[in-house]
Amino acid sequence: MKKIIFLLIVCLFQLSLSAQNNLQKIEFINFSQVNVTDAFWKPKIDKVATKTLAACIYQTEVATPRLRNFERVARKKGEPHEGIFYDDSDVFKALEAMAYSLKTHPNAEMEKKCDEWIDKIAAAQQPDGYLNTWYTLKGLQDRYTDMSMHEDYNAGHMIEAAVAYYNATGKRKFLDVCIKWADHFDALFGPGKRHWVTGHQELELALVKLYKTTKNEKYLKLADWLLSERGKRLAKGYTWTDWKDTAYAQDILPVKEQTQITGHAVRAMYMYTGAADVAAQTGDVDYIRAMKTVWQDVVYRNMYITGGIGSAGSNEGFSQDYDLPNEQAYCETCASVGMVFWNQRMNALTGDAMYMDVLERSLYNGALDGLSLTGDRFFYGNPLASRGQHQRREWFGTACCPANIARMVASLGDYIYAKSDDGIYVNLFVGSNTSIQLPKTKVDVKMETNYPWEGKVKIIVNPQEKKSTFKLYINMPDWAFNHLDIDGLYNITTDDGEPFHFSYKINGKSFSGSYENGYLSITNEWKKGDVVELDLPMDVKLITAKAELKQNNNRIAIQRGPIVYCVEGADNNNKAWNIVLPADTKFETIDYKIMDEPVKALAAEVPVVLVGEDGLSIRTEKRKIVAIPYYTWANRGKNEMQVWLPSTIKDVKINY
């Protein structure tokens, strides 16, 4: 009897452990297995492979000393370091973007360039595995003395680049460099060793990638341990001692106890992405409970309509709830890229489409705005209003954003499809095709659409061998139902289209759909050539903000599909600050071009405030205005711009 009881206890323990470790709900299909054919995204992916990466390469190895620092380490001639202590990371991010591009755009010259860089990086590695040009050139005796100095951040981006390059080419040299570094770091830090609090989080998520690539569990344990170090007053470095700001690096409370977003936006996004990655592998529900709470704080009280985050330039991050100024908005491009990373992980953990709704908002607006239409100019910050002082730049002293937006666009395929044991998920509407292995069959999936300009989506399902029954989950964006899943922070006030119901067609026959966690769920016995058709409403939405968001009181924003719009002077007699947008405004959707970018613009007749010829009077006059997609602004020189337009005239400010 005792033996039976013991065996039952063991079985129950194993079942409990199995349930705990099975936290991840869905698995995203890797971009390398997705062929993007989309009319909207493919030209951008192509442009990144040519123009953007060419700019990154030129700036990294010619115009700035970033790559030359690695050469100086290898020469061992006592040469000084040039640049900033985190410049190594820009080399690694550019390499990661190049690796993604090699997978979608094979290029022998590009691969040769990567190998040249990798040789220089490997030559700069110290015998014990340490690799950081700042401390190696300035004095190794000072390494690991200041946790704010980005040694961990640089290494994290190095690991991400090495994993990407290994996956793209199968070459191990760079991966082995990173394994040697990670083993070196693990020998110094961890339980029973030295404490370490990452100054700029990034290493956590990178170590999970290294674990998934090598299957060595010590890297996963190290990532988990690094997260556990926060909130215990263990940090030493200028962020904590000079600035005395533990909130800046999200170090007030242990990660599992955090409930509010604080500090530097990019640091926060990378940390929570890392926590989600660890939770997916370990089954630690405490991480996901904390992340859900913090996510609500971000999205319900601290997110711009564009999906951008981090309103304050003083800390490149968060200030007070509902403090979302437009003209002074910081909204770093990297933070929007981080929102894409984090929300993808949250969707994978929960299977809830609301995270994909936020991901889509950040992707098409806050993040994409960081890249010019020509592919070689960039925004670091992304304000929602401008009096003409903003312009895109070729590069930055702190150049995290160009390579970051490049690597995200190059790997767009990562976010389109996912799978679970019972079916296939379509998360973004992007023209593409892929093959997905389910437990009982392999399925070819092809998507055809002119999204985001049109709402028609066609999904062709082809089981490779025989008929097969499984679910097809199709993300139904919240805006399609005149509702935004952000707790009333923003509200759609118009409904110009027909009420949208959960209906779809299979092979031309209409069906009513069921709704599961934000997805249209279709259970069917699928056969080769089955076609699912969906038609999303693409009417214009007028959006107001919660009263607590005082900067947007009596103002209206415009959205069509996933695209947030703005008015720019280039389309409106060089003015964007004299336009009034009444709440009953009706827009006409028109074909338009911003430089060479075909878009859907919005036109309407609205009151415009004009100054009299005598300069002593003003009047309002109805004029036609044109609104353009927010991501396209500032591509035609310096211009006035606004996303939120006044719905009534409350006051007049005189400029002279």
Side-chain angles (χ1 to χ4, degrees):
M1 178 62 72
K2 288 182 180 179
K3 184 176 181 180
I4 293 173
I5 292 173
F6 173 76
L7 289 173
L8 284 171
I9 291 172
V10 170
C11 289
L12 287 171
F13 174 76
Q14 289 175 337
L15 284 170
S16 173
L17 186 63
S18 174
Q20 185 184 29
N21 288 337
N22 191 26
L23 184 60
Q24 186 159 321
K25 300 290 185 182
I26 64 177
E27 178 186 348
F28 276 79
I29 306 303
N30 188 273
F31 84 98
S32 63
Q33 300 171 41
V34 179
N35 177 37
V36 175
T37 58
D38 192 71
F40 182 85
W41 282 107
K42 189 175 188 303
K44 294 171 178 56
I45 295 172
D46 293 344
K47 201 158 287 182
V48 163
T50 54
K51 295 284 189 179
T52 310
L53 289 181
C56 290
I57 291 168
Y58 172 75
Q59 293 290 341
T60 301
E61 68 177 10
V62 178
T64 74
R66 285 168 168 80
L67 194 63
R68 291 196 292 274
N69 283 323
F70 290 91
E71 296 170 350
R72 291 179 176 190
V73 171
R75 283 196 291 264
K76 300 179 181 178
K77 293 184 177 180
E79 297 169 274
H81 184 279
E82 285 189 80
I84 310 172
F85 55 83
Y86 44 72
D87 279 354
D88 288 3
S89 68
D90 295 330
V91 180
F92 303 139
K93 273 181 285 189
L95 262 173
E96 185 182 356
M98 291 156 75
Y100 293 146
S101 182
L102 282 175
K103 200 69 178 177
T104 56
H105 295 74
N107 183 312
E109 286 301 312
M110 180 74 75
E111 186 170 342
K112 182 181 177 183
K113 178 67 67 179
C114 290
D115 289 338
E116 290 174 359
W117 286 20
I118 290 166
D119 286 344
K120 293 177 180 180
I121 292 165
Q125 188 166 35
Q126 300 305 293
D128 64 357
Y130 185 76
L131 212 170
N132 180 286
T133 67
W134 173 270
Y135 280 110
T136 306
L137 290 173
K138 285 183 172 288
L140 285 170
Q141 72 278 359
D142 294 326
R143 64 180 180 174
Y144 301 132
T145 57
D146 187 324
M147 297 175 185
S148 302
M149 290 295 286
H150 287 57
E151 288 165 280
D152 39 45
Y153 172 79
N154 291 344
H157 278 299
M158 179 175 68
I159 291 169
E160 285 202 87
V163 169
Y165 194 65
Y166 172 71
N167 289 337
T169 66
K171 296 178 180 178
R172 285 195 59 97
K173 182 171 185 176
F174 197 13
L175 183 66
D176 288 337
V177 166
C178 291
I179 290 171
K180 186 176 181 180
W181 180 91
D183 290 345
H184 150 80
F185 189 85
D186 182 66
L188 295 175
F189 303 100
K193 307 168 197 172
R194 292 168 62 182
H195 290 292
W196 189 265
V197 180
T198 52
H200 189 313
Q201 301 92 306
E202 154 66 19
L203 180 56
E204 298 87 344
L205 70 91
L207 284 168
V208 178
K209 286 188 176 184
L210 188 61
Y211 155 69
K212 292 168 75 173
T213 301
T214 64
K215 310 303 181 188
N216 190 331
E217 287 193 1
K218 76 175 178 181
Y219 304 133
L220 176 62
K221 291 177 181 177
L222 183 58
D224 194 11
W225 176 81
L226 285 170
L227 289 166
S228 74
E229 286 282 271
R230 311 194 86 78
K232 298 178 180 177
R233 300 185 179 182
L234 298 171
K236 296 178 181 179
Y238 70 81
T239 300
W240 294 271
T241 56
D242 296 348
W243 298 0
K244 303 187 187 304
D245 187 0
T246 55
Y248 179 76
Q250 298 78 41
D251 193 31
I252 294 178
L253 293 169
V255 176
K256 295 176 183 180
E257 297 175 21
Q258 293 184 17
T259 60
Q260 294 180 318
I261 194 68
T262 66
H264 189 274
V266 180
R267 283 170 164 83
M269 292 303 99
Y270 286 178
M271 184 181 79
Y272 294 123
T273 299
D277 285 339
V278 169
Q281 300 301 318
T282 64
D284 194 325
V285 295
D286 291 332
Y287 280 131
I288 191 167
R289 184 181 63 247
M291 283 185 295
K292 283 182 175 180
T293 306
V294 175
W295 184 89
Q296 290 175 353
D297 192 44
V298 174
V299 174
Y300 295 173
R301 293 175 283 278
N302 293 282
M303 183 181 74
Y304 283 92
I305 188 65
T306 58
I309 57 169
S311 61
S314 59
N315 66 348
E316 295 186 302
F318 300 95
S319 53
Q320 306 294 321
D321 285 351
Y322 304 110
D323 178 31
L324 297 169
N326 295 310
E327 193 174 0
Q328 295 77 32
Y330 196 71
C331 279
E332 186 179 337
T333 296
C334 286
S336 291
V337 171
M339 280 287 277
V340 172
F341 295 162
W342 185 29
N343 279 281
Q344 182 208 35
R345 274 37 170 233
M346 293 300 289
N347 176 257
L349 283 172
T350 64
D352 197 318
M354 69 179 179
Y355 299 109
M356 291 308 302
D357 291 338
V358 174
L359 184 156
E360 182 184 62
R361 181 172 296 279
S362 297
L363 174 66
Y364 279 94
N365 303 290
L368 188 56
D369 185 55
L371 181 66
S372 71
L373 298 179
T374 57
D376 57 1
R377 296 290 187 277
F378 310 94
F379 267 146
Y380 195 102
N382 297 272
L384 278 71
S386 174
R387 296 182 186 271
Q389 73 271 38
H390 298 93
Q391 63 180 336
R392 297 175 183 273
R393 303 248 319 261
E394 289 185 3
W395 204 247
F396 308 93
T398 298
C400 50
C401 295
N404 223 353
I405 187 65
R407 67 176 180 145
M408 190 203 73
V409 172
S411 60
L412 177 79
D414 272 343
Y415 310 101
I416 302 172
Y417 301 100
K419 67 176 182 177
S420 62
D421 287 342
D422 68 345
I424 292 170
Y425 289 75
V426 176
N427 281 304
L428 293 177
F429 300 121
V430 176
S432 56
N433 55 77
T434 188
S435 293
I436 299 173
Q437 181 66 59
L438 295 179
K440 294 183 179 180
T441 187
K442 193 169 189 178
V443 184
D444 295 333
V445 181
K446 182 178 181 181
M447 185 160 28
E448 298 174 357
T449 183
N450 194 31
Y451 195 85
W453 310 127
E454 297 176 8
K456 294 184 184 297
V457 181
K458 182 186 291 187
I459 303 167
I460 303 162
V461 181
N462 279 309
Q464 287 187 0
E465 296 177 2
K466 56 184 179 180
K467 291 181 180 180
S468 184
T469 300
F470 56 85
K471 287 185 176 182
L472 181 65
Y473 296 94
I474 304 174
N475 179 26
M476 307 300 287
D478 53 358
W479 51 259
F481 305 96
N482 296 308
H483 169 74
L484 301 179
D485 289 330
I486 45 185
D487 197 39
L489 179 59
Y490 303 112
N491 294 287
I492 295 171
T493 62
T494 57
D495 183 6
D496 295 335
E498 293 295 320
F500 183 58
H501 301 288
F502 299 103
S503 61
Y504 60 95
K505 293 180 180 179
I506 298 182
N507 303 329
K509 186 177 179 181
S510 295
F511 294 87
S512 294
S514 61
Y515 190 60
E516 291 183 38
N517 295 324
Y519 290 95
L520 173 65
S521 173
I522 306 171
T523 302
N524 189 49
E525 184 182 49
W526 303 96
K527 63 182 185 303
K528 288 186 178 181
D530 279 344
V531 177
V532 178
E533 294 175 275
L534 189 70
D535 195 355
L536 298 169
M538 302 299 280
D539 51 307
V540 178
K541 315 289 188 184
L542 299 186
I543 297 173
T544 58
K546 203 170 188 176
E548 287 87 339
L549 207 172
K550 294 180 180 179
Q551 291 95 336
N552 292 330
N553 287 173
N554 301 305
R555 288 181 174 267
I556 290 175
I558 313 161
Q559 182 173 332
R560 181 181 181 273
I563 302 293
V564 173
Y565 282 73
C566 67
V567 293
E568 188 177 19
D571 311 293
N572 298 287
N573 298 309
N574 298 315
K575 300 289 184 183
W577 287 77
N578 65 339
I579 297 167
V580 181
L581 191 69
D584 60 354
T585 300
K586 303 295 182 184
F587 280 94
E588 174 192 5
T589 302
I590 59 175
D591 291 326
Y592 208 66
K593 269 197 170 184
I594 311 295
M595 299 173 64
D596 293 330
E597 178 91 349
V599 302
K600 295 290 186 184
L602 306 176
E605 280 203 355
V606 300
V608 173
V609 179
L610 301 172
V611 178
E613 292 182 2
D614 58 2
L616 299 174
S617 61
I618 61 172
R619 71 182 191 278
T620 60
E621 180 181 297
K622 279 229 172 176
R623 287 195 176 180
K624 181 180 178 180
I625 66 159
V626 173
I628 61 171
Y630 170 73
Y631 78 86
T632 66
W633 85 280
N635 278 279
R636 298 167 292 181
K638 291 184 177 181
N639 266 288
E640 291 186 3
M641 183 277 291
Q642 285 204 91
V643 169
W644 289 93
L645 297 170
S647 56
T648 58
I649 299 173
K650 294 288 186 182
D651 198 0
V652 176
K653 180 180 180 180
I654 299 174
N655 290 326
Y656 56 91

